[in-house]
PDB file of all heavy atoms in Angstrom:
ATOM      1  N   ALA A   1       2.417  -2.977  18.028  1.00  0.00           N
ATOM      2  CA  ALA A   1       1.670  -3.953  18.824  1.00  0.00           C
ATOM      3  C   ALA A   1       2.650  -4.833  19.586  1.00  0.00           C
ATOM      4  O   ALA A   1       3.735  -5.145  19.099  1.00  0.00           O
ATOM      5  CB  ALA A   1       0.790  -4.815  17.926  1.00  0.00           C
ATOM      6  N   GLU A   2       2.251  -5.220  20.784  1.00  0.00           N
ATOM      7  CA  GLU A   2       3.030  -6.174  21.565  1.00  0.00           C
ATOM      8  C   GLU A   2       2.372  -7.530  21.429  1.00  0.00           C
ATOM      9  O   GLU A   2       1.159  -7.648  21.586  1.00  0.00           O
ATOM     10  CB  GLU A   2       3.095  -5.736  23.019  1.00  0.00           C
ATOM     11  CG  GLU A   2       3.854  -4.441  23.213  1.00  0.00           C
ATOM     12  CD  GLU A   2       3.852  -3.954  24.652  1.00  0.00           C
ATOM     13  OE1 GLU A   2       3.309  -4.651  25.530  1.00  0.00           O
ATOM     14  OE2 GLU A   2       4.387  -2.861  24.887  1.00  0.00           O
ATOM     15  N   GLN A   3       3.173  -8.555  21.137  1.00  0.00           N
ATOM     16  CA  GLN A   3       2.657  -9.893  20.870  1.00  0.00           C
ATOM     17  C   GLN A   3       3.297 -10.908  21.808  1.00  0.00           C
ATOM     18  O   GLN A   3       4.470 -10.807  22.143  1.00  0.00           O
ATOM     19  CB  GLN A   3       3.001 -10.263  19.427  1.00  0.00           C
ATOM     20  CG  GLN A   3       2.751 -11.709  19.083  1.00  0.00           C
ATOM     21  CD  GLN A   3       3.216 -12.038  17.693  1.00  0.00           C
ATOM     22  OE1 GLN A   3       2.413 -12.024  16.784  1.00  0.00           O
ATOM     23  NE2 GLN A   3       4.487 -12.319  17.501  1.00  0.00           N
ATOM     24  N   GLU A   4       2.491 -11.903  22.225  1.00  0.00           N
ATOM     25  CA  GLU A   4       3.003 -13.058  22.953  1.00  0.00           C
ATOM     26  C   GLU A   4       2.670 -14.290  22.126  1.00  0.00           C
ATOM     27  O   GLU A   4       1.525 -14.510  21.763  1.00  0.00           O
ATOM     28  CB  GLU A   4       2.358 -13.175  24.330  1.00  0.00           C
ATOM     29  CG  GLU A   4       2.801 -12.120  25.311  1.00  0.00           C
ATOM     30  CD  GLU A   4       2.143 -12.273  26.673  1.00  0.00           C
ATOM     31  OE1 GLU A   4       1.635 -13.368  26.995  1.00  0.00           O
ATOM     32  OE2 GLU A   4       2.129 -11.276  27.407  1.00  0.00           O
ATOM     33  N   LEU A   5       3.696 -15.079  21.806  1.00  0.00           N
ATOM     34  CA  LEU A   5       3.535 -16.285  21.003  1.00  0.00           C
ATOM     35  C   LEU A   5       4.463 -17.345  21.568  1.00  0.00           C
ATOM     36  O   LEU A   5       5.666 -17.128  21.644  1.00  0.00           O
ATOM     37  CB  LEU A   5       3.862 -16.000  19.539  1.00  0.00           C
ATOM     38  CG  LEU A   5       3.810 -17.163  18.563  1.00  0.00           C
ATOM     39  CD1 LEU A   5       2.389 -17.714  18.448  1.00  0.00           C
ATOM     40  CD2 LEU A   5       4.311 -16.714  17.197  1.00  0.00           C
ATOM     41  N   ASP A   6       3.914 -18.452  21.995  1.00  0.00           N
ATOM     42  CA  ASP A   6       4.702 -19.543  22.583  1.00  0.00           C
ATOM     43  C   ASP A   6       5.564 -19.058  23.739  1.00  0.00           C
ATOM     44  O   ASP A   6       6.727 -19.455  23.882  1.00  0.00           O
ATOM     45  CB  ASP A   6       5.574 -20.223  21.527  1.00  0.00           C
ATOM     46  CG  ASP A   6       4.764 -20.892  20.437  1.00  0.00           C
ATOM     47  OD1 ASP A   6       3.639 -21.343  20.730  1.00  0.00           O
ATOM     48  OD2 ASP A   6       5.260 -20.956  19.300  1.00  0.00           O
ATOM     49  N   GLY A   7       5.032 -18.170  24.560  1.00  0.00           N
ATOM     50  CA  GLY A   7       5.751 -17.665  25.726  1.00  0.00           C
ATOM     51  C   GLY A   7       6.801 -16.607  25.423  1.00  0.00           C
ATOM     52  O   GLY A   7       7.435 -16.089  26.323  1.00  0.00           O
ATOM     53  N   GLU A   8       7.001 -16.289  24.165  1.00  0.00           N
ATOM     54  CA  GLU A   8       7.972 -15.274  23.749  1.00  0.00           C
ATOM     55  C   GLU A   8       7.253 -13.971  23.437  1.00  0.00           C
ATOM     56  O   GLU A   8       6.216 -13.969  22.789  1.00  0.00           O
ATOM     57  CB  GLU A   8       8.728 -15.730  22.497  1.00  0.00           C
ATOM     58  CG  GLU A   8       9.528 -16.993  22.672  1.00  0.00           C
ATOM     59  CD  GLU A   8      10.793 -16.777  23.479  1.00  0.00           C
ATOM     60  OE1 GLU A   8      11.413 -15.697  23.343  1.00  0.00           O
ATOM     61  OE2 GLU A   8      11.145 -17.678  24.254  1.00  0.00           O
ATOM     62  N   LYS A   9       7.836 -12.854  23.875  1.00  0.00           N
ATOM     63  CA  LYS A   9       7.272 -11.543  23.571  1.00  0.00           C
ATOM     64  C   LYS A   9       8.012 -10.935  22.400  1.00  0.00           C
ATOM     65  O   LYS A   9       9.218 -11.087  22.254  1.00  0.00           O
ATOM     66  CB  LYS A   9       7.381 -10.629  24.787  1.00  0.00           C
ATOM     67  CG  LYS A   9       6.497 -11.061  25.928  1.00  0.00           C
ATOM     68  CD  LYS A   9       6.557 -10.075  27.061  1.00  0.00           C
ATOM     69  CE  LYS A   9       5.638 -10.531  28.187  1.00  0.00           C
ATOM     70  NZ  LYS A   9       5.609  -9.569  29.279  1.00  0.00           N
ATOM     71  N   SER A  10       7.265 -10.252  21.553  1.00  0.00           N
ATOM     72  CA  SER A  10       7.867  -9.538  20.431  1.00  0.00           C
ATOM     73  C   SER A  10       7.048  -8.296  20.128  1.00  0.00           C
ATOM     74  O   SER A  10       5.947  -8.118  20.634  1.00  0.00           O
ATOM     75  CB  SER A  10       7.959 -10.436  19.192  1.00  0.00           C
ATOM     76  OG  SER A  10       6.677 -10.856  18.796  1.00  0.00           O
ATOM     77  N   THR A  11       7.618  -7.451  19.302  1.00  0.00           N
ATOM     78  CA  THR A  11       6.963  -6.219  18.897  1.00  0.00           C
ATOM     79  C   THR A  11       6.708  -6.273  17.390  1.00  0.00           C
ATOM     80  O   THR A  11       7.560  -6.716  16.632  1.00  0.00           O
ATOM     81  CB  THR A  11       7.849  -5.000  19.237  1.00  0.00           C
ATOM     82  OG1 THR A  11       8.077  -4.987  20.650  1.00  0.00           O
ATOM     83  CG2 THR A  11       7.191  -3.703  18.827  1.00  0.00           C
ATOM     84  N   ILE A  12       5.524  -5.830  17.003  1.00  0.00           N
ATOM     85  CA  ILE A  12       5.154  -5.752  15.592  1.00  0.00           C
ATOM     86  C   ILE A  12       4.899  -4.285  15.271  1.00  0.00           C
ATOM     87  O   ILE A  12       4.115  -3.631  15.962  1.00  0.00           O
ATOM     88  CB  ILE A  12       3.875  -6.560  15.299  1.00  0.00           C
ATOM     89  CG1 ILE A  12       4.035  -8.008  15.727  1.00  0.00           C
ATOM     90  CG2 ILE A  12       3.493  -6.454  13.823  1.00  0.00           C
ATOM     91  CD1 ILE A  12       2.734  -8.784  15.722  1.00  0.00           C
ATOM     92  N   GLU A  13       5.555  -3.785  14.256  1.00  0.00           N
ATOM     93  CA  GLU A  13       5.303  -2.417  13.815  1.00  0.00           C
ATOM     94  C   GLU A  13       4.718  -2.477  12.415  1.00  0.00           C
ATOM     95  O   GLU A  13       5.278  -3.121  11.532  1.00  0.00           O
ATOM     96  CB  GLU A  13       6.585  -1.601  13.815  1.00  0.00           C
ATOM     97  CG  GLU A  13       6.320  -0.144  13.489  1.00  0.00           C
ATOM     98  CD  GLU A  13       7.561   0.699  13.596  1.00  0.00           C
ATOM     99  OE1 GLU A  13       8.147   0.772  14.680  1.00  0.00           O
ATOM    100  OE2 GLU A  13       7.932   1.283  12.564  1.00  0.00           O
ATOM    101  N   VAL A  14       3.574  -1.817  12.229  1.00  0.00           N
ATOM    102  CA  VAL A  14       2.882  -1.808  10.947  1.00  0.00           C
ATOM    103  C   VAL A  14       2.708  -0.364  10.497  1.00  0.00           C
ATOM    104  O   VAL A  14       2.262   0.481  11.268  1.00  0.00           O
ATOM    105  CB  VAL A  14       1.494  -2.487  11.066  1.00  0.00           C
ATOM    106  CG1 VAL A  14       0.744  -2.417   9.749  1.00  0.00           C
ATOM    107  CG2 VAL A  14       1.639  -3.920  11.541  1.00  0.00           C
ATOM    108  N   VAL A  15       3.062  -0.097   9.248  1.00  0.00           N
ATOM    109  CA  VAL A  15       2.846   1.218   8.636  1.00  0.00           C
ATOM    110  C   VAL A  15       2.061   0.988   7.357  1.00  0.00           C
ATOM    111  O   VAL A  15       2.442   0.158   6.532  1.00  0.00           O
ATOM    112  CB  VAL A  15       4.181   1.929   8.319  1.00  0.00           C
ATOM    113  CG1 VAL A  15       3.924   3.266   7.636  1.00  0.00           C
ATOM    114  CG2 VAL A  15       5.014   2.121   9.573  1.00  0.00           C
ATOM    115  N   LEU A  16       0.960   1.695   7.193  1.00  0.00           N
ATOM    116  CA  LEU A  16       0.160   1.634   5.978  1.00  0.00           C
ATOM    117  C   LEU A  16       0.156   3.038   5.379  1.00  0.00           C
ATOM    118  O   LEU A  16      -0.174   4.006   6.071  1.00  0.00           O
ATOM    119  CB  LEU A  16      -1.263   1.173   6.276  1.00  0.00           C
ATOM    120  CG  LEU A  16      -2.172   0.990   5.080  1.00  0.00           C
ATOM    121  CD1 LEU A  16      -1.681  -0.157   4.203  1.00  0.00           C
ATOM    122  CD2 LEU A  16      -3.598   0.730   5.525  1.00  0.00           C
ATOM    123  N   VAL A  17       0.543   3.144   4.106  1.00  0.00           N
ATOM    124  CA  VAL A  17       0.703   4.440   3.454  1.00  0.00           C
ATOM    125  C   VAL A  17      -0.135   4.487   2.190  1.00  0.00           C
ATOM    126  O   VAL A  17      -0.184   3.520   1.435  1.00  0.00           O
ATOM    127  CB  VAL A  17       2.189   4.675   3.085  1.00  0.00           C
ATOM    128  CG1 VAL A  17       2.367   6.023   2.409  1.00  0.00           C
ATOM    129  CG2 VAL A  17       3.071   4.561   4.310  1.00  0.00           C
ATOM    130  N   ARG A  18      -0.783   5.644   1.956  1.00  0.00           N
ATOM    131  CA  ARG A  18      -1.484   5.874   0.688  1.00  0.00           C
ATOM    132  C   ARG A  18      -0.691   6.881  -0.115  1.00  0.00           C
ATOM    133  O   ARG A  18      -0.310   7.943   0.380  1.00  0.00           O
ATOM    134  CB  ARG A  18      -2.886   6.428   0.914  1.00  0.00           C
ATOM    135  CG  ARG A  18      -3.624   6.702  -0.425  1.00  0.00           C
ATOM    136  CD  ARG A  18      -4.995   7.295  -0.233  1.00  0.00           C
ATOM    137  NE  ARG A  18      -4.974   8.646   0.286  1.00  0.00           N
ATOM    138  CZ  ARG A  18      -4.767   9.750  -0.441  1.00  0.00           C
ATOM    139  NH1 ARG A  18      -4.533   9.673  -1.741  1.00  0.00           N
ATOM    140  NH2 ARG A  18      -4.784  10.933   0.127  1.00  0.00           N
ATOM    141  N   LYS A  19      -0.415   6.546  -1.358  1.00  0.00           N
ATOM    142  CA  LYS A  19       0.228   7.455  -2.312  1.00  0.00           C
ATOM    143  C   LYS A  19      -0.663   7.450  -3.547  1.00  0.00           C
ATOM    144  O   LYS A  19      -0.792   6.416  -4.220  1.00  0.00           O
ATOM    145  CB  LYS A  19       1.635   6.974  -2.637  1.00  0.00           C
ATOM    146  CG  LYS A  19       2.370   7.828  -3.621  1.00  0.00           C
ATOM    147  CD  LYS A  19       2.864   9.095  -2.980  1.00  0.00           C
ATOM    148  CE  LYS A  19       3.744   9.834  -3.980  1.00  0.00           C
ATOM    149  NZ  LYS A  19       4.217  11.069  -3.453  1.00  0.00           N
ATOM    150  N   ASN A  20      -1.334   8.568  -3.806  1.00  0.00           N
ATOM    151  CA  ASN A  20      -2.322   8.656  -4.888  1.00  0.00           C
ATOM    152  C   ASN A  20      -3.389   7.582  -4.683  1.00  0.00           C
ATOM    153  O   ASN A  20      -4.072   7.596  -3.688  1.00  0.00           O
ATOM    154  CB  ASN A  20      -1.646   8.564  -6.258  1.00  0.00           C
ATOM    155  CG  ASN A  20      -0.655   9.672  -6.488  1.00  0.00           C
ATOM    156  OD1 ASN A  20      -0.926  10.818  -6.142  1.00  0.00           O
ATOM    157  ND2 ASN A  20       0.495   9.353  -7.044  1.00  0.00           N
ATOM    158  N   THR A  21      -3.502   6.635  -5.597  1.00  0.00           N
ATOM    159  CA  THR A  21      -4.556   5.616  -5.487  1.00  0.00           C
ATOM    160  C   THR A  21      -4.029   4.278  -4.964  1.00  0.00           C
ATOM    161  O   THR A  21      -4.762   3.296  -4.947  1.00  0.00           O
ATOM    162  CB  THR A  21      -5.214   5.373  -6.857  1.00  0.00           C
ATOM    163  OG1 THR A  21      -4.225   4.902  -7.775  1.00  0.00           O
ATOM    164  CG2 THR A  21      -5.868   6.640  -7.387  1.00  0.00           C
ATOM    165  N   THR A  22      -2.786   4.253  -4.536  1.00  0.00           N
ATOM    166  CA  THR A  22      -2.162   3.002  -4.103  1.00  0.00           C
ATOM    167  C   THR A  22      -1.935   3.008  -2.593  1.00  0.00           C
ATOM    168  O   THR A  22      -1.506   4.016  -2.034  1.00  0.00           O
ATOM    169  CB  THR A  22      -0.806   2.808  -4.815  1.00  0.00           C
ATOM    170  OG1 THR A  22      -1.031   2.819  -6.224  1.00  0.00           O
ATOM    171  CG2 THR A  22      -0.147   1.500  -4.419  1.00  0.00           C
ATOM    172  N   THR A  23      -2.208   1.872  -1.958  1.00  0.00           N
ATOM    173  CA  THR A  23      -1.841   1.701  -0.550  1.00  0.00           C
ATOM    174  C   THR A  23      -0.718   0.674  -0.481  1.00  0.00           C
ATOM    175  O   THR A  23      -0.713  -0.310  -1.216  1.00  0.00           O
ATOM    176  CB  THR A  23      -3.026   1.234   0.321  1.00  0.00           C
ATOM    177  OG1 THR A  23      -3.566   0.039  -0.226  1.00  0.00           O
ATOM    178  CG2 THR A  23      -4.099   2.292   0.409  1.00  0.00           C
ATOM    179  N   ALA A  24       0.226   0.937   0.395  1.00  0.00           N
ATOM    180  CA  ALA A  24       1.356   0.027   0.599  1.00  0.00           C
ATOM    181  C   ALA A  24       1.522  -0.201   2.091  1.00  0.00           C
ATOM    182  O   ALA A  24       1.399   0.735   2.882  1.00  0.00           O
ATOM    183  CB  ALA A  24       2.631   0.626   0.010  1.00  0.00           C
ATOM    184  N   GLY A  25       1.776  -1.442   2.461  1.00  0.00           N
ATOM    185  CA  GLY A  25       1.950  -1.784   3.871  1.00  0.00           C
ATOM    186  C   GLY A  25       3.362  -2.260   4.146  1.00  0.00           C
ATOM    187  O   GLY A  25       3.979  -2.932   3.321  1.00  0.00           O
ATOM    188  N   PHE A  26       3.880  -1.888   5.305  1.00  0.00           N
ATOM    189  CA  PHE A  26       5.213  -2.274   5.743  1.00  0.00           C
ATOM    190  C   PHE A  26       5.098  -2.835   7.151  1.00  0.00           C
ATOM    191  O   PHE A  26       4.485  -2.219   8.019  1.00  0.00           O
ATOM    192  CB  PHE A  26       6.151  -1.061   5.734  1.00  0.00           C
ATOM    193  CG  PHE A  26       6.186  -0.364   4.400  1.00  0.00           C
ATOM    194  CD1 PHE A  26       5.311   0.672   4.117  1.00  0.00           C
ATOM    195  CD2 PHE A  26       7.082  -0.775   3.423  1.00  0.00           C
ATOM    196  CE1 PHE A  26       5.333   1.312   2.888  1.00  0.00           C
ATOM    197  CE2 PHE A  26       7.111  -0.141   2.185  1.00  0.00           C
ATOM    198  CZ  PHE A  26       6.238   0.896   1.916  1.00  0.00           C
ATOM    199  N   THR A  27       5.702  -3.988   7.384  1.00  0.00           N
ATOM    200  CA  THR A  27       5.620  -4.634   8.688  1.00  0.00           C
ATOM    201  C   THR A  27       7.014  -5.043   9.135  1.00  0.00           C
ATOM    202  O   THR A  27       7.796  -5.577   8.340  1.00  0.00           O
ATOM    203  CB  THR A  27       4.743  -5.898   8.615  1.00  0.00           C
ATOM    204  OG1 THR A  27       3.459  -5.535   8.111  1.00  0.00           O
ATOM    205  CG2 THR A  27       4.565  -6.525   9.981  1.00  0.00           C
ATOM    206  N   ALA A  28       7.318  -4.787  10.400  1.00  0.00           N
ATOM    207  CA  ALA A  28       8.569  -5.232  11.003  1.00  0.00           C
ATOM    208  C   ALA A  28       8.223  -5.967  12.292  1.00  0.00           C
ATOM    209  O   ALA A  28       7.380  -5.510  13.060  1.00  0.00           O
ATOM    210  CB  ALA A  28       9.481  -4.047  11.291  1.00  0.00           C
ATOM    211  N   ILE A  29       8.857  -7.121  12.499  1.00  0.00           N
ATOM    212  CA  ILE A  29       8.634  -7.916  13.709  1.00  0.00           C
ATOM    213  C   ILE A  29       9.988  -8.226  14.315  1.00  0.00           C
ATOM    214  O   ILE A  29      10.913  -8.625  13.604  1.00  0.00           O
ATOM    215  CB  ILE A  29       7.895  -9.237  13.392  1.00  0.00           C
ATOM    216  CG1 ILE A  29       6.568  -8.944  12.708  1.00  0.00           C
ATOM    217  CG2 ILE A  29       7.684 -10.053  14.658  1.00  0.00           C
ATOM    218  CD1 ILE A  29       5.858 -10.180  12.187  1.00  0.00           C
ATOM    219  N   GLY A  30      10.098  -8.037  15.617  1.00  0.00           N
ATOM    220  CA  GLY A  30      11.371  -8.318  16.268  1.00  0.00           C
ATOM    221  C   GLY A  30      11.210  -8.524  17.753  1.00  0.00           C
ATOM    222  O   GLY A  30      10.096  -8.491  18.283  1.00  0.00           O
ATOM    223  N   PRO A  31      12.331  -8.728  18.430  1.00  0.00           N
ATOM    224  CA  PRO A  31      12.277  -8.919  19.887  1.00  0.00           C
ATOM    225  C   PRO A  31      11.589  -7.739  20.558  1.00  0.00           C
ATOM    226  O   PRO A  31      11.589  -6.629  20.036  1.00  0.00           O
ATOM    227  CB  PRO A  31      13.744  -8.988  20.288  1.00  0.00           C
ATOM    228  CG  PRO A  31      14.493  -9.276  19.037  1.00  0.00           C
ATOM    229  CD  PRO A  31      13.675  -8.728  17.915  1.00  0.00           C
ATOM    230  N   SER A  32      11.019  -7.985  21.710  1.00  0.00           N
ATOM    231  CA  SER A  32      10.268  -6.965  22.434  1.00  0.00           C
ATOM    232  C   SER A  32      11.020  -5.637  22.496  1.00  0.00           C
ATOM    233  O   SER A  32      12.182  -5.586  22.871  1.00  0.00           O
ATOM    234  CB  SER A  32       9.954  -7.463  23.846  1.00  0.00           C
ATOM    235  OG  SER A  32       9.078  -6.577  24.480  1.00  0.00           O
ATOM    236  N   GLU A  33      10.360  -4.581  22.095  1.00  0.00           N
ATOM    237  CA  GLU A  33      10.840  -3.197  22.121  1.00  0.00           C
ATOM    238  C   GLU A  33      12.095  -2.946  21.290  1.00  0.00           C
ATOM    239  O   GLU A  33      12.770  -1.953  21.469  1.00  0.00           O
ATOM    240  CB  GLU A  33      11.040  -2.732  23.560  1.00  0.00           C
ATOM    241  CG  GLU A  33       9.737  -2.746  24.354  1.00  0.00           C
ATOM    242  CD  GLU A  33       9.900  -2.183  25.745  1.00  0.00           C
ATOM    243  OE1 GLU A  33      10.749  -1.308  25.950  1.00  0.00           O
ATOM    244  OE2 GLU A  33       9.154  -2.625  26.625  1.00  0.00           O
ATOM    245  N   ALA A  34      12.427  -3.833  20.344  1.00  0.00           N
ATOM    246  CA  ALA A  34      13.616  -3.638  19.527  1.00  0.00           C
ATOM    247  C   ALA A  34      13.276  -3.535  18.043  1.00  0.00           C
ATOM    248  O   ALA A  34      14.145  -3.644  17.210  1.00  0.00           O
ATOM    249  CB  ALA A  34      14.594  -4.786  19.758  1.00  0.00           C
ATOM    250  N   THR A  35      12.023  -3.314  17.720  1.00  0.00           N
ATOM    251  CA  THR A  35      11.592  -3.314  16.329  1.00  0.00           C
ATOM    252  C   THR A  35      11.504  -1.888  15.809  1.00  0.00           C
ATOM    253  O   THR A  35      11.086  -0.990  16.499  1.00  0.00           O
ATOM    254  CB  THR A  35      10.220  -3.990  16.211  1.00  0.00           C
ATOM    255  OG1 THR A  35      10.343  -5.287  16.751  1.00  0.00           O
ATOM    256  CG2 THR A  35       9.754  -4.093  14.790  1.00  0.00           C
ATOM    257  N   ASP A  36      11.877  -1.719  14.555  1.00  0.00           N
ATOM    258  CA  ASP A  36      11.757  -0.411  13.929  1.00  0.00           C
ATOM    259  C   ASP A  36      11.528  -0.616  12.443  1.00  0.00           C
ATOM    260  O   ASP A  36      12.238  -1.385  11.805  1.00  0.00           O
ATOM    261  CB  ASP A  36      13.021   0.410  14.157  1.00  0.00           C
ATOM    262  CG  ASP A  36      12.887   1.837  13.653  1.00  0.00           C
ATOM    263  OD1 ASP A  36      11.761   2.345  13.580  1.00  0.00           O
ATOM    264  OD2 ASP A  36      13.918   2.435  13.336  1.00  0.00           O
ATOM    265  N   ASN A  37      10.524   0.036  11.907  1.00  0.00           N
ATOM    266  CA  ASN A  37      10.259   0.022  10.472  1.00  0.00           C
ATOM    267  C   ASN A  37      11.051   1.194   9.914  1.00  0.00           C
ATOM    268  O   ASN A  37      10.622   2.338  10.023  1.00  0.00           O
ATOM    269  CB  ASN A  37       8.757   0.215  10.235  1.00  0.00           C
ATOM    270  CG  ASN A  37       8.204  -0.737   9.234  1.00  0.00           C
ATOM    271  OD1 ASN A  37       8.897  -1.166   8.337  1.00  0.00           O
ATOM    272  ND2 ASN A  37       6.940  -1.063   9.379  1.00  0.00           N
ATOM    273  N   PRO A  38      12.232   0.965   9.372  1.00  0.00           N
ATOM    274  CA  PRO A  38      13.114   2.070   8.988  1.00  0.00           C
ATOM    275  C   PRO A  38      12.457   3.051   8.020  1.00  0.00           C
ATOM    276  O   PRO A  38      11.960   2.654   6.971  1.00  0.00           O
ATOM    277  CB  PRO A  38      14.304   1.374   8.330  1.00  0.00           C
ATOM    278  CG  PRO A  38      14.258  -0.028   8.854  1.00  0.00           C
ATOM    279  CD  PRO A  38      12.794  -0.326   9.056  1.00  0.00           C
ATOM    280  N   ALA A  39      12.477   4.318   8.382  1.00  0.00           N
ATOM    281  CA  ALA A  39      11.876   5.367   7.555  1.00  0.00           C
ATOM    282  C   ALA A  39      12.527   5.415   6.179  1.00  0.00           C
ATOM    283  O   ALA A  39      11.855   5.697   5.186  1.00  0.00           O
ATOM    284  CB  ALA A  39      11.989   6.716   8.260  1.00  0.00           C
ATOM    285  N   ALA A  40      13.818   5.114   6.090  1.00  0.00           N
ATOM    286  CA  ALA A  40      14.513   5.150   4.805  1.00  0.00           C
ATOM    287  C   ALA A  40      13.957   4.099   3.845  1.00  0.00           C
ATOM    288  O   ALA A  40      13.843   4.343   2.647  1.00  0.00           O
ATOM    289  CB  ALA A  40      16.015   4.936   5.010  1.00  0.00           C
ATOM    290  N   ILE A  41      13.598   2.927   4.362  1.00  0.00           N
ATOM    291  CA  ILE A  41      13.030   1.873   3.514  1.00  0.00           C
ATOM    292  C   ILE A  41      11.650   2.277   3.023  1.00  0.00           C
ATOM    293  O   ILE A  41      11.322   2.129   1.849  1.00  0.00           O
ATOM    294  CB  ILE A  41      12.994   0.525   4.261  1.00  0.00           C
ATOM    295  CG1 ILE A  41      14.432   0.035   4.478  1.00  0.00           C
ATOM    296  CG2 ILE A  41      12.164  -0.507   3.493  1.00  0.00           C
ATOM    297  CD1 ILE A  41      14.553  -1.199   5.317  1.00  0.00           C
TER     298      ILE A  41
END
């Protein structure tokens, strides 16, 4: 997602994963187009 907050632009990346009966969410927020939710994490 692209976000504007107080005139600043940033990127939000959200990953939601189901493993068996559990869901886990991962979020990364950073400067516009520079965000990455590392696959290794």
Side-chain angles (χ1 to χ4, degrees):
E2 294 177 3
Q3 170 185 264
E4 289 180 19
L5 177 64
D6 297 330
E8 299 286 324
K9 292 184 179 183
S10 61
T11 300
I12 304 169
E13 186 175 300
V14 177
V15 178
L16 183 66
V17 180
R18 179 182 69 81
K19 179 76 173 178
N20 299 318
T21 61
T22 302
T23 56
F26 306 91
T27 304
I29 303 172
S32 188
E33 298 185 30
T35 303
D36 186 26
N37 226 330
I41 292 174

